[in-house]
Amino acid sequence: MNGPYKPGTPCWVDLMVPDQQAALDFYCGLFGWQGEIGPPETGGYSVCHLKGKPVAGIMKAMNPDGTVPDPMPPTVWTTYLSTDNVDGTLKAVTDAGGGVMMGPVDVMELGRMAIVTDPTGAVVGLWQPGTFDGAGIVNEHGALTWNELATNDTAAAAEFYSRVLPLTTGPTDLPGAEGYTTIRVDGREVGGMMGLDQHPAGTPPHWLTYFHTDDVDAIAAAAGKAGGKVVAPPFDMPAGRMSVLSDPQGGVFAVIKAIAPAQT
């Protein structure tokens, strides 16, 4: 990726965890990333790299004043959607029935961000790029390849996201995946949306991060050996072979080897 992502496109993912170093050890070992705890002026935020390009962020869970949260928030991967105007998008979010959890806030010269909730309760980030556009590599082993919303009301979610960002939603053309909704920017598939009926009872609406891998079974086995859990063992589906995993601190993510390169 050599430039800003078009507004509406997932452009970055990051993980908030109680033990930042343990998370770095797990993901760097699993995907071959390079990463270390960042400087104090960025709150220690780690930008992990693959082949010298940024691929994901990992940060320690903390309050704005630097104290440890009590209770500790859940360990989650957050998807960020690109926008060319965070402030304008936030107004659209609230007008469309969403909520603002954090921001807007400037991240030095890197960009401007906010965290919001859609009307179904799913949390998603917004990123207005400054000097930092987002993921520098996608669709390669160990890199971001897909972002998917699971929600209890796909119609309401589709209406919301199409109102706040320049994207469209519609049924997939992929054979065997009837009922799956794709998210498109300028006609290009950049993400997906599905109901919660295929998830365990009580699963809240959420965005799921997918990383591409050349060998789903090997990554699932390696995650288990490193202290993670296999939430959904490797299985074949219309888009390829995938597995849903969690890291040792409970952060859930998916890995996939797509039949054709997924689009981001």
Side-chain angles (χ1 to χ4, degrees), residues 10-14 45 47-48 54-57 78-80 132 134-136 144 147:
C11 62
W12 186 243
V13 292
D14 64 20
Y45 191 96
V47 176
C48 298
V55 289
T78 298
T79 290
Y80 289 79
F132 183 78
L144 179 66
N147 301 78

Side-chain angles (χ1 to χ4, degrees), residues 168-234:
T168 59
T169 63
T172 181
D173 297 326
L174 189 65
E178 291 77 13
Y180 190 82
T181 299
T182 57
I183 299 170
R184 300 180 177 92
V185 171
D186 288 346
R188 184 171 184 262
E189 293 183 353
V190 299
M193 187 184 306
M194 65 184 300
L196 283 169
D197 52 294
Q198 299 181 38
H199 294 71
T203 302
H206 64 277
W207 280 84
L208 179 65
T209 294
Y210 284 69
F211 296 106
H212 178 75
T213 177
D214 295 332
D215 190 332
V216 170
D217 295 73
I219 287 290
K225 290 179 180 178
K229 294 181 179 179
V230 179
V231 179

